[in-house]
Amino acid sequence: MVQFADEAVIKVISGKGGNGCISFRREKYIPNGGPNGGDGGRGGDVIFCVKRNLRTLAHLRYHPIFKARNGGDGMSWNKFGKDGEDVIIPVPPGTIIRDNETGALVHDFTDEDEEKQIVFLKGGKGGWGNVHFKSSTNQAPRYAHSGKPGEERELKVELAIMADIGLVGFPNAGKSSLLDLFTNARPKIAPYPFTTKVPNLGVLRVDENNDIVIADIPGIIEGAADGAGLGSRFLKHVSRTAGLIFMIDCADSNCFQAYDLLLDELEKYGGGLSEKPRLVLCNKIDEEGAAENAARVQEELARKNPSLTVIPLSVVARSNIDAVRTAVIELAGRTEQKLSAEEKSGGFLSGRSVVEELGEQFPGSDD
């Protein structure tokens, strides 16, 4: 099984330019021919290219050095050296590149960069051959330019998943069960905490023209923003979302503090996560006492924020699922214009699974 990789440190090196050639015409009847040394070829560039079919940075971890080819040296008879071959580095959408020493942002690949190639480091220029240095006072120049060296950078490459909606919650709240219900993502589901070890993506089909990509990240624990548990590492994967779903386990005695604790972790993490539009789901109302807890949570949150949408539900019993689906679509800013045949027949589930396309490159999970 390939480990999910959302960070990698790589070294990129562009190619050196080829040297110019020192050469003279030497023919039977032209014993003192002029210079005819050709120019060196340019070094290869380092190019980043966004590829939609990539979902992790595992290929960078196993290949941490990317070096473009050097340009060929110039040759006699004014022949140019061959240009060095570029090195092309494919990355998933949502990749962030930083300088590994300073941490400064170098480039942020968003959907706008889809399928585009970005020249990151230019190869060195080829040197001039001695033909360029012939003059009236120097008919036989015996020097040429050396090729310019390439550039070298050490980069930290990070992945922030591109999704419309992010699922956040404490371990075992039922986030992945909801993802499994709404999409075909098929994450690992088990009745114990921390079964989600990596982010999972699923696609909720809204209509024939619109999909909503939902990201489920490993369960947050108190102190996640400061590095506790897995939350700090994976909160970045919901940083680009249009909105967040707060999943609360109302069968748990801590359900009354869950919302404030989650919001506090998002505020500590920063990046505008705590300001995103949100939907609160009070899960597991099929269990004893959970429905009463959900009603109390709903009342308390209504006093704090009357505009906040709070929906009690049971993913297992499939209660209030239609209302949740409508709220998720509204949160994503989508309008459902045309229901699929499956939806019209009473089923609300449809869509494609991003995870299924990934195989072992993106292993499944659930809390």
Side-chain angles (χ1 to χ4, degrees):
M1 179 177 289
V2 180
Q3 184 181 5
F4 175 76
D6 59 355
E7 292 183 358
V9 175
I10 63 173
K11 181 180 289 186
V12 293
I13 308 167
S14 60
K16 173 185 176 298
N19 298 322
C21 176
I22 300 174
S23 176
F24 299 92
R25 292 180 62 188
R26 290 293 182 265
E27 300 175 63
K28 185 175 182 180
Y29 299 106
I30 310 177
N32 297 313
N36 68 352
D39 300 342
R42 68 164 184 83
D45 300 333
V46 174
I47 299 173
F48 282 94
C49 181
V50 175
K51 292 295 183 184
R52 180 174 288 277
N53 63 331
L54 284 177
R55 289 294 182 271
T56 79
L57 301 175
H59 63 296
L60 302 187
R61 283 189 174 180
Y62 296 110
H63 186 182
I65 300 177
F66 294 84
K67 187 178 186 306
R69 295 292 183 88
N70 295 332
D73 293 339
M75 295 170 284
S76 58
W77 298 102
N78 295 321
K79 292 180 180 178
F80 287 79
K82 184 179 180 180
D83 289 341
E85 186 177 343
D86 300 331
V87 61
I88 299 177
I89 306 172
V91 294
T95 296
I96 300 169
I97 298 178
R98 301 182 185 276
D99 185 279
N100 193 44
E101 292 185 6
T102 65
L105 178 65
V106 175
H107 193 84
D108 187 351
F109 291 91
T110 64
D111 274 339
E112 296 176 357
D113 295 317
E114 187 67 31
E115 301 300 336
K116 289 184 179 179
Q117 289 190 346
I118 297 175
V119 178
F120 179 69
L121 293 182
K122 296 285 291 184
K125 292 183 178 180
W128 280 359
N130 67 338
V131 69
H132 290 278
F133 303 103
K134 179 182 177 181
S135 67
S136 59
T137 57
N138 187 359
Q139 296 293 315
R142 296 187 176 276
Y143 55 87
H145 280 169
S146 299
K148 298 293 184 181
E151 301 179 76
E152 181 175 328
R153 293 281 294 276
E154 188 171 74
L155 305 172
K156 183 176 183 180
V157 187
E158 303 173 354
L159 174 61
I161 290 172
M162 307 293 289
D164 299 306
I165 298 295
L167 270 168
V168 297
F170 291 112
N172 210 34
K175 304 190 311 297
S176 298
S177 296
L178 183 69
L179 187 73
D180 177 55
L181 187 63
F182 273 169
T183 74
N184 291 325
R186 301 296 179 263
K188 179 183 177 183
I189 298 174
Y192 50 83
F194 296 113
T195 39
T196 299
K197 298 293 193 299
V198 301
N200 286 294
L201 289 180
V203 180
L204 169 63
R205 173 60 56 87
V206 178
D207 54 41
E208 292 181 353
N209 300 312
N210 293 302
D211 292 333
I212 296 175
V213 179
I214 302 175
D216 165 30
I217 64 170
I220 297 173
I221 64 172
E222 193 171 358
D226 299 319
L230 298 171
S232 177
R233 178 181 175 190
F234 290 123
L235 277 172
K236 65 185 176 185
H237 292 303
V238 293
S239 63
R240 300 179 188 270
T241 56
L244 298 175
I245 297 173
F246 282 38
M247 199 77 168
I248 297 176
D249 178 3
C250 283
D252 188 281
S253 59
N254 293 325
C255 62
F256 307 113
Q257 296 82 38
Y259 177 84
D260 290 335
L261 289 172
L262 287 171
L263 192 59
D264 183 58
E265 292 304 325
L266 296 181
E267 288 176 347
K268 289 179 180 177
Y269 184 80
L273 281 182
S274 61
E275 282 80 44
K276 289 183 181 292
R278 67 187 71 99
L279 164 68
V280 179
L281 302 181
C282 296
N283 191 25
K284 302 187 181 180
I285 60 172
D286 57 305
E287 299 188 21
E288 184 178 357
E292 292 78 8
N293 290 343
R296 181 178 162 187
V297 170
Q298 196 169 14
E299 290 175 3
E300 291 181 357
L301 292 181
R303 285 196 296 269
K304 294 179 180 179
N305 186 354
S307 63
L308 184 63
T309 301
V310 182
I311 303 177
L313 81 154
S314 170
V315 177
V316 174
R318 299 198 175 191
S319 61
N320 277 352
I321 296 300
D322 289 334
V324 171
R325 184 181 187 278
T326 300
V328 170
I329 293 171
E330 290 176 354
L331 182 64
R334 307 292 179 88
T335 302
E336 185 174 11
Q337 299 175 349
K338 184 176 181 181
L339 295 177
S340 67
E342 181 181 359
E343 290 170 323
K344 289 179 179 178
S345 65
F348 56 86
L349 299 182
S350 181
R352 301 172 282 105
S353 170
V354 175
V355 176
E356 286 180 347
E357 299 172 6
L358 308 181
E360 291 187 338
Q361 189 179 184
F362 210 98
S365 46
D366 174 28
D367 46 16

